Amino acid sequence: GGGEGGGGGGAGGKSAAEVLHSVGWVKLARDPLPVDGSTLAELRAAPYAPIFNGQSPGEAPLRHMGRHPAWAARFEAHFASALREEGMLACSDGSEKSVCDCYALRSLGLGADAAGGDPALAGRQPPHSDAPEPPGEGATWPLADADMPLSVMLGVMPNTGLWIFPAGCCGAECGGDAAGGD
């Protein structure tokens, strides 16, 4: 068990769930789900639809989402097993979260014009959040930490990287090598 997160978290014998709850993300230390050529073909053939990503009115969406039963059920079962093994599905009342709605995301990178001349943004997704904005100072989350919903990501394309805002992240702790590979 265990994992890495938050700039080298996971050290000191912390479980993956403890790392997640202390820094907000964790990379599970287990073999990745094997994604062979036929699975990639199924992912590419899924019907995709645009999703909102903070684009201005009239701009084309750069993120699309797709799902197909041919692969979604396999991914959901794998994610459920991995998360259960790490104790990350346990809720505060002893019940268990369920894994559902596995989607493939297809993201198009910003062109140089859309990046506003910022070379760090060119080719990347537009800045966005996959989580709600935290409550204001002094306010508490509406749910216990163990009861908060989870998101799981699996990069299947070469050179997929994950950028954890605001500090970023590269190398093994984010799923890639130091050069941003997978």
Side-chain angles (χ1 to χ4, degrees):
E4 301 177 39
K14 284 187 175 181
S15 71
E18 290 169 324
V19 173
L20 173 69
H21 295 298
S22 67
V23 298
W25 69 276
V26 65
K27 177 186 173 200
L28 299 183
R30 70 178 280 153
D31 291 334
L33 176 67
V35 179
D36 60 17
S38 64
T39 303
L40 282 176
E42 291 170 345
L43 286 166
R44 290 183 180 119
Y48 284 81
I51 59 175
F52 179 71
N53 193 39
Q55 69 270 7
S56 299
E59 279 186 353
L62 296 177
R63 293 184 70 196
H64 300 82
M65 171 171 88
R67 178 181 170 83
H68 194 279
W71 51 263
R74 289 193 312 262
F75 283 101
E76 290 161 0
H78 180 82
F79 292 147
S81 172
L83 293 169
R84 185 174 295 110
E85 186 177 296
E86 297 291 348
M88 297 173 78
L89 294 180
C91 294
S92 63
D93 66 0
S95 65
E96 186 176 274
K97 295 178 182 83
S98 60
V99 174
C100 56
D101 298 334
C102 180
Y103 289 92
L105 296 177
R106 182 180 289 164
S107 299
L108 306 174
L110 289 170
D113 290 340
D118 185 345
L121 293 178
R124 294 183 183 260
Q125 291 184 40
H128 69 280
S129 173
D130 290 318
E133 188 172 329
E137 189 174 329
T140 59
W141 286 98
L143 296 172
D145 204 26
D147 299 332
M148 295 295 283
L150 299 173
S151 291
V152 177
M153 292 187 216
L154 171 70
V156 297
M157 298 305 295
N159 298 316
T160 296
L162 179 62
W163 183 270
I164 307 294
F165 184 82
C169 150
C170 62
E173 73 272 13
C174 296
D177 57 29
D182 55 335

